[in-house]
């Protein structure tokens, strides 16, 4: 035993994060061992002010997604004056904690700056503005962001195109243009489409599948598809998730669970929390079952800072930790799902982040 203690001591002194990744039971170490990034959306206001939040974030996650601070509304509140201050702080935190950064999001119909939402632009103005926005933001973070949600939520629930200002201005080709512009600004970043209610096989995921296949056939730089996974207990679990992820992977794409949470009618009780845990565990198990599923990201990790109650009246408790920052059964379900999945990596688990960042 003395040699083991001595070895660990020397290894700790040399490289603390590597030893932590092997010896602890955090979500991130479980993900590292299976070559999956385990991520969360980050509220950067809480990041600045709450040490407990920072500690949990650093310990448990190998990937971060800015919940809001890379959106156009935040990065260019005044036309022509980009401001990446809050996003830069998150990137610095991630680098200090050996975490990958998922960029979110470049093209969306929501959270546009007021000057843009006010309208009055011609179609060619809008194309030029979008090109400049993507070029500026992606260049700013070039080399620091391993994957971008380039286009967010392009479809309606029935699989028809969402009639966003981008669709109105450019037709469906805005997607290919956005991917091309992002690729030009950072050729090393993985470029994704991302949407909700596409977890199971159905009209909306079929539309995403057809779009992805078409883009690939045309040589457009698309690397992956993100499945948000904002689930609710009252709507059931998307049982075809694994098969759905696999059909996108079979196109030659990476796939990712990008915004997982499981809301419930309040108040929470032990039965609902147990069912929620089952849903979280099955979401992660699907990602673990598909080789090309590179990351599993939750949309915030504590109920005090979840977007859900503000949008769905009477619903909430959608994350891994309760209002008192205590672990819920959902947290254990993620750990159990990781433990139940074969350990794919025999080499240094800390490589996982590096592999995905470059
Ligand atoms: O969690 C985000 C919340 O703080 C914002 O107010 C909201 C604005 O629409 O966006 C939320 O994040 C969304 C994400 O960017 C895209 N998919 C749905 C997410 C939850 O609404």
């Amino acid at each position: 035993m003395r040699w083991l203690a001595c070895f660990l001591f020397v290894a700790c002194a040399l490289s603390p994060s590597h030893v932590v990744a092997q010896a602890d039971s955090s979500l991130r170490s479980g993900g590292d061992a299976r070559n999956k990034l385990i991520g969360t959306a980050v509220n950067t206001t809480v990041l600045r002010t709450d040490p407990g939040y920072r500690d949990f974030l650093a310990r448990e996650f190998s990937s971060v997604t800015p919940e809001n601070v890379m959106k156009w509304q935040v990065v260019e509140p005044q036309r022509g004056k980009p401001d990446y201050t809050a996003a830069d702080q998150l990137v610095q935190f991630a680098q200090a904690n050996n975490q990958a950064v998922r960029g979110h999001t470049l093209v969306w119909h929501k959270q546009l700056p007021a000057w843009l939402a006010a309208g009055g632009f011609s179609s060619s103005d809008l194309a030029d503005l979008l090109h400049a926005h993507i070029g500026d933001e992606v260049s700013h973070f070039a080399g620091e962001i391993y994957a971008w949600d380039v286009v967010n939520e392009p479809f309606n629930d029935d699989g028809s195109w969402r009639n966003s200002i981008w669709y109105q201005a450019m037709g469906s080709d805005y997607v290919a243009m956005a991917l091309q512009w992002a690729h030009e600004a950072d050729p090393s970043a993985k470029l994704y489409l991302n949407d909700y209610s596409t977890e199971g096989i159905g009209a909306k995921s079929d539309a995403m599948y057809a779009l992805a296949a078409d883009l690939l056939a045309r040589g457009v730089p698309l690397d992956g598809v993100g499945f948000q996974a904002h689930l609710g207990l009252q709507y059931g679990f998307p049982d075809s998730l694994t098969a759905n992820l696999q059909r996108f992977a079979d196109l030659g794409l990476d796939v990712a669970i990008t915004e997982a949470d499981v809301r419930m009618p309040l108040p929470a009780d032990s039965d609902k929390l147990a069912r929620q845990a089952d849903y979280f565990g099955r979401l992660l198990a699907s990602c673990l079952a598909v080789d090309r599923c590179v990351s599993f990201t939750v949309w915030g990790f504590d109920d005090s800072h979840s977007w859900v109650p503000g949008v769905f009246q009477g619903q909430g408790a959608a994350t891994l930790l309760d209002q008192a920052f205590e672990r819920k059964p959902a947290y254990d379900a993620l750990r159990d799902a990781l433990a139940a999945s074969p350990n794919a990596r025999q080499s240094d688990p800390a490589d996982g982040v590096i592999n995905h960042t470059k």
Side-chain angles (χ1 to χ4, degrees):
M1 284 315 278
R2 259 183 65 199
W3 68 267
L4 178 63
C6 179
F7 170 77
L8 284 176
F9 177 77
V10 172
C12 280
L14 287 175
S15 175
S17 65
H18 288 206
V19 171
V20 168
Q22 284 170 325
D24 73 15
S25 59
S26 65
L27 300 177
R28 72 181 290 176
S29 66
D32 283 349
R34 289 156 188 86
N35 213 14
K36 308 285 181 193
L37 292 170
I38 306 293
T40 181
V42 177
N43 178 324
T44 51
T45 306
V46 187
L47 183 72
R48 274 193 297 278
T49 54
D50 186 338
Y53 184 94
R54 279 199 294 277
D55 288 350
F56 193 88
L57 175 60
R59 188 174 64 245
E60 297 289 339
F61 297 101
S62 50
S63 169
V64 295
T65 306
E67 184 173 4
N68 286 302
V69 295
M70 285 185 192
K71 293 171 179 171
W72 199 339
Q73 182 183 55
V74 178
V75 300
E76 197 182 354
Q78 284 181 273
R79 187 173 176 186
K81 294 189 179 163
D83 178 0
Y84 298 106
T85 312
D88 285 340
Q89 287 166 357
L90 178 59
V91 171
Q92 280 161 18
F93 180 90
Q95 288 172 349
N97 291 287
N98 197 24
Q99 292 166 317
V101 182
R102 184 176 188 90
H104 177 86
T105 176
L106 298 167
V107 190
W108 198 21
H109 59 285
K110 284 186 172 170
Q111 286 180 286
L112 298 169
W115 58 264
L116 177 55
F121 297 101
S122 70
S123 293
S124 75
D125 286 345
L126 285 169
D128 290 347
L129 284 165
L130 187 62
H131 189 172
H133 164 63
I134 291 174
D136 195 71
E137 179 153 8
V138 176
S139 317
H140 178 85
F141 293 109
E144 298 181 321
I145 288 194
Y146 86 98
W148 271 105
D149 290 330
V150 177
V151 177
N152 197 38
E153 302 174 1
F155 293 116
N156 296 315
D157 283 352
D158 65 0
S160 58
W161 282 93
R162 188 187 290 280
N163 195 24
S164 67
I165 60 168
W166 311 118
Y167 184 79
Q168 286 169 21
M170 289 169 263
S172 59
D173 231 29
Y174 82 88
V175 175
M177 290 172 172
L179 288 162
Q180 188 59 44
W181 293 330
H183 182 67
E184 285 161 13
D186 182 359
S188 71
K190 302 282 188 193
L191 305 181
Y192 279 68
L193 310 176
N194 189 49
D195 215 326
Y196 62 85
S197 297
T198 48
E199 293 77 30
I201 294 175
K204 194 169 183 180
S205 65
D206 285 351
M208 184 64 93
Y209 184 84
L211 172 61
D214 177 59
L215 292 168
L216 291 174
R218 290 161 55 197
V220 176
L222 173 70
D223 299 294
V225 174
F227 301 79
Q228 295 184 6
H230 291 293
L231 305 186
L233 287 184
Q234 60 276 46
Y235 307 117
F237 189 84
D239 290 319
S240 49
L241 174 61
T242 308
N244 195 30
L245 295 178
Q246 190 61 56
R247 71 171 170 157
F248 283 84
D250 290 344
L251 286 175
L253 291 167
D254 288 340
V255 294
I257 303 292
T258 52
E259 306 185 14
D261 52 21
V262 182
R263 60 186 183 269
M264 62 183 70
L266 296 172
D269 60 30
S270 56
D271 172 59
K272 291 180 208 170
L273 291 173
R275 286 196 292 131
Q276 177 189 52
D278 178 57
Y279 279 31
F280 265 109
R282 286 157 75 187
L283 281 175
L284 178 52
S286 283
C287 183
L288 287 162
V290 175
D291 274 355
R292 295 211 55 169
C293 185
V294 300
S295 66
F296 175 85
T297 295
V298 294
W299 204 243
F301 54 84
D302 68 314
D303 287 345
S304 301
H305 301 109
S306 162
W307 68 289
V308 170
V311 173
F312 299 99
Q313 217 189 352
Q315 297 183 52
T319 75
L320 307 178
L321 305 183
D322 67 15
Q323 300 271 353
F325 219 71
E326 295 293 331
R327 293 172 184 189
K328 292 156 62 177
Y331 175 89
D332 297 327
L334 294 188
R335 270 221 313 231
D336 292 349
L338 288 163
S341 162
N343 183 337
R345 296 177 65 80
Q346 304 304 321
S347 55
D348 183 352
D351 286 348
V353 170
I354 293 155
N355 285 345
H356 288 298
T357 48
K358 287 289 155 202

